[in-house]
Amino acid sequence: MTGSAEREKGTPGRLAELLVDASTEAVDAAGGHSGGVYLRSSTPGLLRLAVLAGLPGPLFRPWGRLHVDSKFPVADAYRLGVHVVLPNATETMRRYPQFAASLPFQFGSLYVPVIGGSTTYGVLTVLRPSAPDATEVLSGLDRMTRLAEELGSALAELEDEHKDEDGPYVAWDGEPVCVRPAATHRPEGRMARFAWDPRTAAVTGDGSLHALLGVDPAEIPGTAQALADVMAPGDAHQVMAALRATAAGKPPPLPLRVRAADGSARLLDLWTPATGPLPPDGGYRVSGVVIDPGGAPMADSAADLLPDGVFCLDRLGLVTYANPRAAQLLGRPREELLGRPLWEGVPWLNQIGCEDQLRGALLSLGPVHFHVRRPDERERSEGRAQEPYESDWLAMAVHPGRDGLTCTVAPSTRVAGPPLPLVPVRADGDGGPDNGVTSLAPLYRPIVLAIALTEAVTARQVSAVVMKELLPAFGGRRLAIYLLQERHLYLAWETGFPQGFLAPFDGVGLDARLPGVETLTTGRPLFFDSMQQLEDAYPGIPLDAEVGARAFLPLIASGRPVGSAILGFDRSRDFSSEERAVLTALAGLIAHAMEKAQRYDSEAALARGLQQALLPRRLSAHPQVETAGRYLPGTQGMEVGGDWYDVVEAGDGLALVIGDVQGHGVQAAATMGQLRSAVRAFALGDRPPDEVMSGTNHLLIDLDPGQFASCCYLRLDPASGLVRVARAGHPPPLIRTPDGRTRIWDIPGGVVLGVDPHAQYPVAELRLEPDSILALYTDGLVERPGVDIDDGIAALRVALAKAGGPAARTGGRSLAGVADRLTAKARHAADRPDDIALLLAARRAKPGGHP
C-alpha cells in the first residue's frame, strides 16, 4: 500500500487506506517489526483489529477482537486515552499479566490512542524488539503520536463526510487487512509492489518494479494490460482476470502463479483494503505484490546444493524460497511450496506447538529450535497420527530477520516425550469451514482466563470476565450464567439473547428437563452443533434462533454444584474434541471463581451493613456552621472500604475529621469504626489537633490490625473563624473564598497513622472568612488510573469554584447541593476503584445566614 497513489477522499477504501498507511509508517517510525490499528466496531464496547502489518493474520486471529474493559494495553490506551509503553517482556508481565500470558515472548510494544476531535476511534500499535527501559523508545513514541494525531484528524474528516449514513462510518467489523511493511533489505529484482486504479486505468509502482520486470525505470508499464504483458506474456489474460476480480471485491485464490518471458515462475498477490458499496465507476483500487521466487541469486543457488533443507518465509508466512532438500523432507513438490502460506503448503505442520514457535520467532526476532514428527504418506492423506519411529522426526530451526524467516529442516532422532498433536483446530472462531489453521484458544485461553478471574471478586465481575475473555476466544455471541440457590437456578448474567427470552427459565427447579439443568445435575457438558440437534434432543424447547450452535457447561467447584453456563454461537459448528475439553476445563475455572465471588458477596453485604452502622447518621450542628458529607462505596472488589468522615462538638467549636483506612472489606470497616470512636473521644475532650493525631496513631499501633490510615483533623472556632489543623498522610484541604477563588491549603503533615509510634503531627492555623467553604476529601475522589493525583486535586478545585458560584453566595444553593455537584460524576460512574468520602463546611456570617 505504501507508495501507491492517493485516492480521492470519501471513496470506498479510503478508510482502510488511511489505516494501512498509518500502520506501515508507524512500524518504521518506532523501529518496529510489525504493528497495526485497532478500531472501534459497530458492537458497543468491542475493538477489532483492522490492519495487521508484518504478521500473518491466521496466526494472530485470537487477538483480533478485544473488549474495551479487558486488561490489555490496547483496551487501556483506548478507554483512558493514554499512551501505553511496554519496553520489554518484564514490564509487560508486571503491568499486563493476561497479555503477557497470551503472548509469552521477548518483545516490546507501544500503544497510542487515535483521537479525532472528541472521539476516540482506535489505537495505533507497534511491536518492536525489547529495550532495557522506556527511554530507548521515546523518540519513536513521539513520531507515533504525530502519526496518530494525523490519522485521528483524517478519520474525523472522513466520518464527517459520511455523517448522513446509518451508524458510524469509521468502524471495523471484518477481518484485518494484512500488509507487508516496507522491507529494510530486499534483494533487487526479487519482489516489488504496484497499485492499479480501475477508475483511471493507471498503474503506479515502487522503485523495485522496473528491476523485477527487467525494464528501464522510464519504461514502467502505465496500464494494467501493459503490466500484464510484461510481467507474464503467456499468462497475461490470467493476470487481467485476477485484477478485475479483485477490483470487483471477489479476489480469486491467490497468490497467482504465472510465467515470465523466460518461462520462470512469478507469484502475484493482490488485495483491496476497500470496504463499503462497490464504486459504480470501475471498482476498488487494487494493491499488489509480484515475487520472483526462482531468480536464484548466488546465495539461493548455493542453498540449492546444501544437504539440509532450507526454506524462507516473508513476514506474512508466504514461502519465498525452498531448496530441493526442504521440498523432499516436507513432502511437497517445490513448485507447490513457493508462493503459498506455510500452513497451506505443508498442512501437517498445523500443530499448536509449531504455530507457537513461528509466533515466537516473528515477535521476538530470536532463533527457535524444535522437533516435529513427520507423518507418513498414509497419515498425511488420512489426517491421522500413529506411533512414530525415530526416522519420522525432523529437527527444525527458525532464524528470523526483520523482513522474514529463514528455516532449516533436517532428519533427527526421536525426542523425549509424546509427539505434538497433529489435529488441526479451526481458527475462524465462527463455526466456519475448517481452514486447517490451528487456534491459539486451546493453548492459552485457560491461562488468560485464570489470570483475569483472579482479579474478579464479585459474581458480576466474574460474569463480565467470561464475556470478555471466553466468548471472543471461541467466536461466541451469547452468554447466560445461572447460579444455584435452594435447588433452583437463577439467572445471574446474560448477554446477546433476545430481550426477555431467558425470563421463563429464571428460577427453574432441578427437576426441569432443560439442558441448562441437566448439565448441572449430571455434571456432563452438552454440545449441540446446530439448533436442530438441540430441538431433537429436547422437543418443544423454546429456541432463540433458527440457526446456530449451543454449549451447556456445568459449573462445579470442589465437587459442589454452583450453576451452569450457556454459550451461544450464531452459526452451526462442529465442536472438536479439543474445544470440548478446553471449554469443560474453563467451566471448572469459572465455577471456582463464582464460588469465591458468592463468599465475597456475602462478606461485602456484611461489611456494607457494618459500615453504614458506623458512619454518622447526622452531623453535629452549630448555628454559625453549615456542614454536608457524602460517602460513595467503590464498585470493584469488596465494594466497601475504610473511608469515613465526622463532625464532633469540641468545646465551643466544631471538630471536622476525614480519614481513609487502607484496604477493603469487613476488617477495614471495623478498623474505621475503632478509629472514628477514638477521634470522637479525643474531640469531645477538646484536645489539640496534634494530640488527637498522636493519640489515634498510638491506638492503631496498639491494636495492630495490620493496617494503616490517613487522616485530616480540623478544629474550627465559629466565632473567630480560627481553624487549627493536623494531617497524617492525607490529601490537603481546599478552601473557597467568598470571591469565588479556590486554593489548596498546603499544610505540613506527618506520616500515616499506624506506622511510626514516634511520629509528629505539626499544627497549622488560618482564619476562615465568613461565607468561605472548607473541603475535605479522600483520594478516591481525585485519583484516577494513569492520571497524577495533583491533576485530580486541581480538577476538584475547578469544580469547587463552579459548584459554589454566585448562586451559593446568595443562598440559592445549599452546601448539600454543592456536595452533590462535586460527587455527581463519581456517583454516575460505572466503575469506582476506591471509596469516596467528602466533607464540606461553610462558616456563616451570622446565625441564620447562608454561605
Side-chain angles (χ1 to χ4, degrees):
M1 179 64 69
T2 54
S4 60
E6 183 73 7
R7 294 192 64 182
E8 181 183 346
K9 291 182 179 180
T11 58
R14 173 64 177 164
L15 171 59
E17 189 166 339
L18 287 170
L19 302 179
V20 168
D21 289 345
S23 299
T24 53
E25 290 180 34
V27 170
D28 178 65
H33 49 66
S34 51
V37 177
Y38 279 86
L39 210 62
R40 65 183 184 177
S41 69
S42 60
T43 302
L46 185 68
L47 300 175
R48 295 200 65 142
L49 184 59
V51 172
L52 184 60
L55 292 173
L59 294 189
F60 292 87
R61 186 172 287 138
W63 295 270
R65 292 180 291 189
L66 289 174
H67 196 279
V68 296
D69 289 331
S70 61
K71 301 294 185 180
F72 274 58
V74 169
D76 274 3
Y78 179 87
R79 188 180 65 258
L80 303 176
V82 298
H83 297 172
V84 177
V85 179
L86 303 174
N88 49 53
T90 301
E91 183 69 6
T92 304
M93 176 59 76
R94 184 182 72 82
R95 295 177 58 188
Y96 296 97
Q98 293 178 45
F99 180 52
S102 68
L103 286 173
F105 308 114
Q106 296 294 325
F107 67 96
S109 52
L110 308 173
Y111 307 85
V112 178
V114 177
I115 303 173
S118 60
T119 302
T120 302
Y121 293 104
V123 177
L124 185 63
T125 178
V126 167
L127 310 183
R128 65 180 315 281
S130 289
D133 53 53
T135 57
E136 186 174 318
V137 304
L138 292 182
S139 61
L141 180 64
D142 290 340
R143 296 176 65 190
M144 269 187 72
T145 301
R146 290 195 294 272
L147 288 170
E149 290 172 350
E150 294 170 2
L151 178 59
S153 298
L155 295 181
E157 181 181 344
L158 186 62
E159 184 149 86
D160 186 61
E161 294 173 4
H162 296 265
K163 60 185 177 183
D164 295 331
E165 298 184 14
D166 294 335
Y169 183 80
V170 179
W172 198 271
D173 293 304
E175 294 298 314
V177 176
C178 296
V179 295
R180 295 171 176 83
T184 57
H185 172 71
R186 181 189 306 160
E188 186 172 329
R190 298 300 306 278
M191 185 175 78
R193 298 172 181 272
F194 67 91
W196 173 53
D197 190 339
R199 297 175 306 135
T200 63
V203 169
T204 56
D206 67 6
S208 301
L209 187 61
H210 72 282
L212 186 143
L213 297 178
V215 299
D216 188 90
E219 298 176 357
I220 291 179
T223 66
Q225 187 62 58
L227 176 67
D229 290 339
V230 175
M231 182 190 303
D235 297 321
H237 63 288
Q238 294 186 42
V239 174
M240 288 303 301
L243 285 169
R244 294 190 185 102
T246 305
K250 301 176 181 179
L254 294 170
L256 183 67
R257 295 166 179 78
V258 294
R259 289 164 294 142
D262 61 1
S264 62
R266 279 178 177 163
L267 305 173
L268 181 63
D269 195 6
L270 304 172
W271 73 91
T272 175
T275 58
L278 186 69
D281 53 353
Y284 298 126
R285 182 186 180 88
V286 176
S287 296
V289 172
V290 57
I291 301 171
D292 182 0
M298 186 177 297
D300 287 357
S301 299
D304 281 353
L305 304 177
L306 291 176
D308 290 340
V310 178
F311 62 96
C312 300
L313 311 174
D314 70 3
R315 288 201 62 86
L316 297 191
L318 198 75
V319 180
T320 57
Y321 168 77
N323 71 355
R325 181 58 169 158
Q328 179 187 18
L329 291 173
L330 296 176
R332 295 299 297 272
R334 190 177 181 181
E335 59 273 13
E336 292 185 12
L337 289 173
L338 294 176
R340 291 182 182 274
L342 179 63
W343 39 88
E344 291 182 9
V346 191
W348 57 267
L349 281 178
N350 291 341
Q351 305 176 34
I352 291 175
C354 293
E355 182 187 78
D356 203 39
Q357 300 289 351
L358 289 176
R359 265 192 297 270
L362 286 164
L363 292 180
S364 66
L365 299 186
V368 297
H369 303 266
F370 59 99
H371 287 75
V372 64
R373 190 177 72 81
R374 175 183 58 185
D376 63 20
E377 191 64 37
R378 184 177 60 181
E379 287 181 289
R380 290 198 295 270
S381 64
E382 297 179 359
R384 60 182 183 85
Q386 66 176 17
E387 182 64 25
Y389 297 98
E390 291 188 355
S391 60
D392 293 330
W393 287 92
L394 298 176
M396 300 190 71
V398 181
H399 302 273
R402 291 179 64 88
D403 300 328
L405 306 175
T406 299
C407 309
T408 62
V409 55
S412 175
T413 58
R414 180 178 177 179
V415 295
L420 294 173
L422 297 179
V423 181
V425 182
R426 283 195 313 272
D428 59 4
D430 290 323
D434 187 344
N435 59 11
V437 183
T438 52
S439 170
L440 180 73
L443 186 61
Y444 285 137
R445 280 300 165 178
I447 302 173
V448 175
L449 185 62
I451 294 174
L453 287 174
T454 61
E455 301 177 3
V457 294
T458 69
R460 180 180 65 86
Q461 291 171 350
V462 170
S463 301
V465 166
V466 175
M467 180 191 71
K468 297 167 190 173
E469 297 294 340
L470 187 61
L471 288 186
F474 291 89
R477 297 289 188 270
R478 307 178 187 200
L479 170 70
I481 293 180
Y482 287 84
L483 296 181
L484 181 65
Q485 296 179 19
E486 298 179 353
R487 297 189 57 80
H488 288 76
L489 285 173
Y490 293 93
L491 184 62
W493 181 277
E494 68 167 304
T495 183
F497 286 92
Q499 185 175 5
F501 173 77
L502 295 177
F505 305 103
D506 192 17
V508 296
L510 294 186
D511 55 348
R513 190 175 184 277
L514 294 169
V517 173
E518 293 191 3
T519 190
L520 180 62
T521 56
T522 64
R524 180 169 50 88
L526 302 174
F527 297 94
F528 300 96
D529 297 341
S530 67
M531 301 303 285
Q532 186 61 52
Q533 278 190 8
L534 176 58
E535 188 175 21
D536 291 345
Y538 295 88
I541 186 173
L543 300 178
D544 57 300
E546 294 182 359
V547 295
R550 296 290 180 268
F552 296 84
L553 307 174
L555 302 183
I556 299 174
S558 305
R560 298 185 306 181
V562 175
S564 59
I566 305 172
L567 272 63
F569 305 85
D570 288 346
R571 289 190 284 173
S572 300
R573 60 181 294 153
D574 295 326
F575 290 97
S576 67
S577 57
E578 287 77 18
E579 286 177 313
R580 293 173 185 238
V582 170
L583 284 171
T584 302
L586 294 180
L589 291 177
I590 297 167
H592 281 283
M594 275 295 183
E595 185 182 46
K596 180 186 70 174
Q598 289 177 316
R599 291 197 300 268
Y600 267 102
D601 287 340
S602 298
E603 185 179 348
L606 174 62
R608 278 193 295 270
L610 176 60
Q611 187 172 50
Q612 290 300 321
L614 293 173
L615 285 173
R617 294 182 179 275
R618 63 178 184 85
L619 301 177
S620 296
H622 189 282
Q624 288 183 258
V625 179
E626 183 182 5
T627 58
R630 295 291 182 269
Y631 171 78
L632 299 173
T635 58
Q636 297 179 7
M638 189 57 64
E639 300 185 3
V640 177
D643 290 19
W644 92 95
Y645 61 87
D646 207 351
V647 179
V648 188
E649 295 180 8
D652 56 358
L654 285 180
L656 309 173
V657 59
I658 194 164
D660 182 1
V661 177
Q662 168 260 339
H664 296 81
V666 173
Q667 182 62 52
T671 302
M672 178 268 285
Q674 292 171 312
L675 294 185
R676 175 174 176 264
S677 298
V679 172
R680 285 185 67 88
F682 288 129
L684 288 170
D686 203 12
R687 303 280 290 277
D690 54 336
E691 292 186 21
V692 174
M693 288 291 95
S694 296
T696 308
N697 180 46
H698 283 290
L699 172 66
L700 185 56
I701 292 173
D702 291 342
L703 291 173
D704 192 22
Q707 294 173 304
F708 57 85
S710 68
C711 187
C712 186
Y713 179 91
L714 295 88
R715 202 273 187 187
L716 169 62
D717 182 353
S720 65
L722 178 65
V723 179
R724 305 185 72 233
V725 60
R727 67 185 181 115
H730 201 83
L734 299 180
I735 299 175
R736 185 188 184 282
T737 55
D739 59 6
R741 290 180 298 175
T742 60
R743 65 185 177 92
I744 300 172
W745 189 4
D746 194 7
I747 55 178
V751 299
V752 293
L753 306 175
V755 174
D756 180 8
H758 306 294
Q760 299 294 314
Y761 299 96
V763 176
E765 295 183 353
L766 66 70
R767 291 201 179 270
L768 191 66
E769 299 178 63
D771 296 339
S772 294
I773 299 175
L774 267 172
L776 307 179
Y777 52 92
T778 56
D779 56 10
L781 187 59
V782 293
E783 214 169 24
R784 293 290 180 272
V787 180
D788 191 279
I789 190 172
D790 291 337
D791 295 335
I793 294 175
L796 182 61
R797 279 186 58 192
V798 174
L800 178 61
K802 294 179 179 179
R809 291 199 300 272
T810 61
R813 181 178 301 145
S814 68
L815 203 61
V818 175
D820 287 337
R821 290 188 57 135
L822 295 181
T823 56
K825 184 176 180 180
R827 190 167 57 251
H828 294 100
D831 288 312
R832 290 190 296 272
D834 199 2
D835 313 27
I836 292 172
L838 172 70
L839 178 61
L840 301 179
R843 180 181 173 227
R844 293 173 175 168
K846 57 183 180 179
H850 290 280

